[in-house]
Amino acid sequence: YSSSINEDHGASGADDSESVGEGGGLSALRSSSSSSGSSSLPPRIVVLGGGFGGLYSALKLCELNWQQPMQTQPRGGPAGGGITPGITLIDQSDRFLFKPLMYELVSGEATLDQVAPLFRDLIGTSPVRFVQGEVENVELASTEDGLAGRIFLSDGSHLDYDYLVLGVGAEVNLDLVPGAREFALPFGSLDDVRKLEKTLTVREDRQLQTRVAVVGGGAGGVELAAVVSERLRSTIGEAKASVRLYVAGNEVMEDFAPDARKVAIETLKEKGVEVVFGSRVEEVAKKEVQEEEDNSIYTLKIKNINMAAAAASEDAGATEGNADESSGLIDVETDVILWTAGAKPVEVSGIKIPGNQNRNSVTIDPTLKIQGRTQEFAIGDVA
């Protein structure tokens, strides 16, 4: 999308660094495609979301030779536009999360700085400006009126943009079944890791019998189940630890090769994880509230469960599910619910652009521009 940005700007201009503002009307759009905008000032590029797509987009845009006119660029080289933009990266966290290593935080095999380094350290001396903040609303740019877009943050401040790169990524979908959002722990962010760590530590310190239900048989669910089971068996003992992985289909990691699935099953067995195939969770509820919130008991209502695979092991501290003949569901009690099933693009208030309704994602063209927009782009899981 850098070439799309370049095409709107002339060959000269000075860099200016605009601070986060408060109040005031919308500024003029710095784009030659607008009737009243100004192309003599450097464009303001704002990247929303500091995941892989957002962070690397911001850093890569800084590396381009913007001072060299696009038509003189060598084939395959960076496309310049003659004017160096101001680039701002916004994320609600102060740390970049390397998601493939999240599990190592749970197992204790990696440190926080190894898995989630600070953005300021990754950005280093590059001209990217980092702003930590939670986006409350976005007012899209208007080329017709020659007005820049505006991003409103939860602290009351705002940033204007001429070009927006939407890279907020995806999150675990807790809206698939009733009760999941209230009672299940997702595993997709640094905050999720911290909540899980707190939950496990409390139970370990009290040496409580702990039954963990991991919902979702993808790679994330498989790895999480294995790591949690290994940890609990070492901290509270095999007799008190029970981890079950609930899989809606007949295979774990269905998108992987057969050899990889075989290795996954062998690893789960080795770690003491019970895999329950053909089990679709229909509802999550809190059955019993103890004096200590961390010792509450939850119920999974499961349909089409494979009874042979779901048979409880008393030695592992699990309880057998109770069938409800009227609904065709089986109730399974558990102490901790970890939800990895399903994902959805993160929604940003104000960006209600028609797209792929099945995924709640925006539709983009080959240059990554959001369909029907001229100043907004989207990358990664949100597109």
Side-chain angles (χ1 to χ4, degrees), residues 18-27 46-49 88 90-92 131-141 147-161 164 166 168 347-351:
E18 183 174 314
S19 61
V20 179
E22 295 183 5
L26 294 174
S27 61
V46 175
V47 181
L48 283 189
T88 301
I90 302 177
D91 196 274
Q92 61 184 0
V131 173
Q132 182 182 356
E134 184 175 349
V135 176
E136 200 166 72
N137 190 35
V138 175
E139 188 167 342
L140 299 177
L147 295 176
R150 176 165 290 180
I151 298 164
F152 297 89
L153 302 181
S154 59
D155 64 359
S157 63
H158 68 262
L159 293 90
D160 288 357
Y161 72 83
L164 174 68
L166 187 63
V168 291
E347 295 184 36
V348 177
S349 179
I351 302 182

Side-chain angles (χ1 to χ4, degrees), residues 204-215:
E204 290 165 342
D205 289 345
R206 298 176 185 170
Q207 289 293 292
L208 297 174
Q209 175 184 353
T210 301
R211 300 161 297 179
V212 179
V214 181
V215 182

Side-chain angles (χ1 to χ4, degrees), residues 27-38:
S27 61
L29 184 66
R30 300 175 185 178
S31 168
S32 60
S33 62
S34 65
S35 58
S36 60
S38 172

Side-chain angles (χ1 to χ4, degrees), residues 261-315:
R261 294 199 297 268
K262 181 180 178 181
V263 171
I265 289 295
E266 292 174 350
T267 300
L268 289 169
K269 184 177 180 180
E270 176 187 335
K271 304 296 184 184
V273 177
E274 180 184 1
V275 183
V276 188
F277 293 106
S279 54
R280 188 171 72 242
V281 177
E282 297 287 331
E283 185 179 346
V284 178
K286 180 179 283 189
K287 178 184 178 183
E288 197 172 320
V289 180
Q290 306 290 343
E291 291 184 5
E292 298 288 347
E293 179 67 21
D294 297 302
N295 198 25
S296 297
I297 298 175
Y298 303 93
T299 300
L300 295 177
K301 293 185 179 295
I302 299 175
K303 187 175 184 180
N304 298 328
I305 192 167
N306 184 327
M307 292 300 294
S313 169
E314 294 183 2
D315 291 339

Side-chain angles (χ1 to χ4, degrees), residues 79-294:
I83 190 166
T84 302
I87 301 171
T88 301
L89 174 66
I90 302 177
D91 196 274
Q92 61 184 0
S93 174
D94 61 342
R95 293 179 178 271
F96 167 81
L97 178 60
F98 187 67
K99 289 191 174 183
L101 289 182
M102 288 172 61
Y103 311 92
E104 275 70 13
L105 281 178
V106 179
S107 66
E109 296 175 321
T111 65
L112 178 62
D113 286 336
Q114 289 173 325
V115 178
L118 292 166
F119 278 112
R120 70 185 184 200
D121 294 335
L122 294 175
I123 291 173
T125 58
S126 79
V128 173
R129 180 169 62 120
F130 174 69
V131 173
Q132 182 182 356
E134 184 175 349
V135 176
E136 200 166 72
N137 190 35
V138 175
E139 188 167 342
L140 299 177
S142 172
T143 54
E144 182 177 346
D145 298 325
L147 295 176
R150 176 165 290 180
I151 298 164
F152 297 89
L153 302 181
S154 59
D155 64 359
S157 63
H158 68 262
L159 293 90
D160 288 357
Y161 72 83
D162 302 295
Y163 296 97
L164 174 68
V165 180
L166 187 63
V168 291
E171 61 185 355
V172 178
N173 192 352
L174 293 174
D175 298 319
L176 294 177
V177 303
R181 181 166 293 280
E182 292 79 8
F183 307 122
L185 294 176
F187 195 75
S189 70
L190 191 56
D191 282 342
D192 295 339
V193 175
R194 289 168 174 151
K195 289 176 183 177
L196 175 57
E197 176 65 28
K198 178 182 177 181
T199 298
L200 295 180
T201 299
V202 168
R203 304 190 70 87
E204 290 165 342
D205 289 345
R206 298 176 185 170
Q207 289 293 292
L208 297 174
Q209 175 184 353
T210 301
R211 300 161 297 179
V212 179
V214 181
V215 182
V222 168
E223 189 161 5
L224 183 58
V227 167
V228 170
S229 182
E230 183 177 37
R231 169 171 168 164
L232 289 177
R233 285 157 72 94
S234 67
T235 55
I236 63 176
E238 294 182 18
K240 290 185 177 181
S242 170
V243 177
R244 287 181 173 181
L245 176 64
Y246 289 94
V247 184
N250 297 319
E251 297 278 358
V252 297
M253 298 164 45
E254 290 183 343
D255 296 335
F256 286 71
D259 288 348
R261 294 199 297 268
K262 181 180 178 181
V263 171
I265 289 295
E266 292 174 350
T267 300
L268 289 169
K269 184 177 180 180
E270 176 187 335
K271 304 296 184 184
V273 177
E274 180 184 1
V275 183
V276 188
F277 293 106
S279 54
R280 188 171 72 242
V281 177
E282 297 287 331
E283 185 179 346
V284 178
K286 180 179 283 189
K287 178 184 178 183
E288 197 172 320
V289 180
Q290 306 290 343
E291 291 184 5
E292 298 288 347
E293 179 67 21
D294 297 302

